[in-house]
Amino acid sequence: DTEVTQTPKHLVMGMTNKKSLKCEQHMGHRAMYWYKQKAKKPPELMFVYSYEKLSINESVPSRFSPECPNSSLLNLHLHALQPEDSALYLCASRGRLAGGRAVYNEQFFGPGTRLTVL
Amino acid sequence: GQQLNQSPQSMFIQEGEDVSMNCTSSSIFNTWLWYKQDPGEGPVLLIALYKAGELTSNGRLTAQFGITRKDSFLNISASIPSDVGIYFCAGRRTNAGKSTFGDGTTLTVKP
């Protein structure tokens, strides 16, 4: 299994809802990331987990709450979001993976969850 | 903070043409990365560069790590319609550090 999976693919939620985004990888990677990406913009780092411990929080508002239950799973809990939080949320893991003819130790991204906050 | 200037912002080319794009920075990076992102998908790593002056190919793609460590280039030869997408460069100063992304180059290929 050489991919990062994310569920759901799409999510629409109201400002009072509580929802969670899920990310999973079975490549044995020990670093996992959450990014937020607005249309036609680069990904913006939100959180980094290293060996299941939160190592970086890029001053993200508390309405976003990450969780790493084990080395394969990463969740992002959402509560009381604002419409401006609508974006593509990307999960990534970092570790060794073949790319072309080379083997890299870099971040590999999941397909993302398209979040719309009404 | 560190910033990457990626150019051009967009390109419209004919199928079969070669493409060049680049990233420059006022700071030194020790790793340069090139990703491609298709609509509705996450970025996919194309090439990683770890040494100044390094030239690396992946199929029709060739990327170079600038000698000054402040720039990197990506070339695509003989473009095809599936090359369409947004190409992002990213730089990293240390192995454990965060990646800084450029603003992306949107490539359109006309058949």
Side-chain angles (χ1 to χ4, degrees), chain B residues 4-11 19-24 34 72-74 87 89 102-106:
Chain B
L4 291 184
N5 297 309
Q6 186 171 349
S7 66
Q9 186 176 17
S10 60
M11 302 182 75
V19 172
S20 290
M21 60 190 78
N22 69 84
C23 272
T24 60
W34 285 93
S72 180
F73 304 85
L74 177 70
Y87 291 80
C89 64
D103 284 341
T105 295
T106 300

Side-chain angles (χ1 to χ4, degrees), chain A residues 34-36 44-47 56-58 60 64 76 89:
Chain A
W34 281 114
Y35 286 84
K36 173 183 176 181
E44 298 174 39
L45 184 64
M46 300 174 72
F47 302 104
I56 295 177
N57 177 342
E58 290 287 292
V60 179
F64 295 91
L76 187 62
Y89 286 83

Side-chain angles (χ1 to χ4, degrees), chain B residues 85-105:
Chain B
I86 303 178
Y87 291 80
F88 290 103
C89 64
R92 194 173 65 233
R93 296 189 69 184
T94 63
N95 187 50
K98 299 179 290 187
S99 294
T100 300
F101 283 83
D103 284 341
T105 295

